[in-house]
Structure formats: C-alpha cells, structure tokens
Amino acid sequence: MTTLGLVVAQFNRPITEQMEEVALEAATDAGAEVYETVRVPGAYDAPLAADRLARLEEVDAVVVIGSVITGDTDHDQVISDATAQRLSDVSLERDTPVTLGVTGPGMSAAEARERVENAAKAVDGAIDLVSELPDP
C-alpha cells in the first residue's frame, strides 16, 4: 500500500477544502493511505511542509494541493512559479515523489472551482510514481 503525505493550502479555503475531500477520496479509491495531512497558509508555504513530510520514512510520496487565483497584479504567476520550482527541488533533494495539485495561475475563482478534480490527478500521479520508479 502506498502511503501519502498531504499538504493543503488554506488560502482560497472554500476551493481547497473541496480539493482535500477529492484527494482523500482518490487515495481511498486507489487503496492508498494518507499518513499525515499538513495545512499551510498558502501554496507558497507548501514546499517546507512537503519537505518535512518527504523526510518521514513512512511517507512514500507527497501530494500538494492548493488554488492560486488571479488578481490585479502578476502575484499569482510569481507564487505559482516559485511554488512549482521549490516543490520540484524537494522531490529531487529528498528522492521522494512530490506532485503538484495546485491549480492556477491565471484563473478566476469560478475556474478554480471547476478544477477541484485536479486534486485526484495529483494523488493518482503520486501513486503512479511510487509504483513506477525503480528503487535507488
């Protein structure tokens, strides 16, 4: 059985709450276990939590979910780019799959609500990576 760590961004909570439910359901449906869930203020804060979870021997992969909604500036692009880069770094540095279930940038709140199922894709991707990657 694959054991997952789950990081959930709290910013845009009405959307990420739905994403968390979808992620937990996807894990259950796939026969995976969520070992621990860490809630962080926003997507930008997720890499530290993902790194801590990836250090745990019990965790096979980390799933990060969140939603970055566009505003009047390029802030959403900056947050998304930085988050994706650091999560990739965590995955490589810890030799642990870390999947990006963060929607955005460039989305309205309505578009983000339409993409809550991306959380399931992040769970599925984490499980697939664990099963496909050869042991080091």
Side-chain angles (χ1 to χ4, degrees):
M1 173 190 316
T2 301
T3 304
L4 304 172
L6 181 63
V7 179
V8 182
Q10 299 297 289
F11 203 82
N12 298 314
R13 184 66 184 149
I15 295 165
T16 62
E17 185 174 64
Q18 292 175 19
M19 294 177 83
E20 181 177 359
E21 291 172 13
V22 167
L24 292 172
E25 184 177 312
T28 299
D29 290 349
E33 174 191 357
V34 175
Y35 177 76
E36 187 167 344
T37 299
V38 177
R39 290 175 181 82
V40 296
Y44 185 81
D45 309 300
L48 177 59
D51 186 70
R52 295 279 174 94
L53 288 171
R55 293 179 195 204
L56 299 176
E57 190 171 316
E58 298 86 356
V59 172
D60 298 315
V62 178
V63 177
V64 178
I65 57 175
S67 184
V68 181
I69 295 173
T70 193
D72 294 334
T73 66
D74 292 336
H75 184 72
D76 59 318
Q77 185 71 50
V78 171
I79 294 298
S80 296
D81 289 350
T83 301
Q85 181 60 59
R86 287 304 297 146
L87 290 174
S88 178
D89 293 346
V90 169
S91 184
L92 293 171
E93 290 167 8
R94 298 288 170 212
D95 194 32
T96 301
V98 177
T99 57
L100 181 65
V102 177
T103 59
M107 294 185 323
S108 67
E111 290 169 320
R113 281 189 291 278
E114 293 172 2
R115 291 174 175 81
V116 297
E117 293 298 322
N118 283 6
K121 293 177 185 176
V123 168
D124 293 343
I127 293 167
D128 288 349
L129 277 166
V130 169
S131 68
E132 292 296 326
L133 289 173
D135 288 331

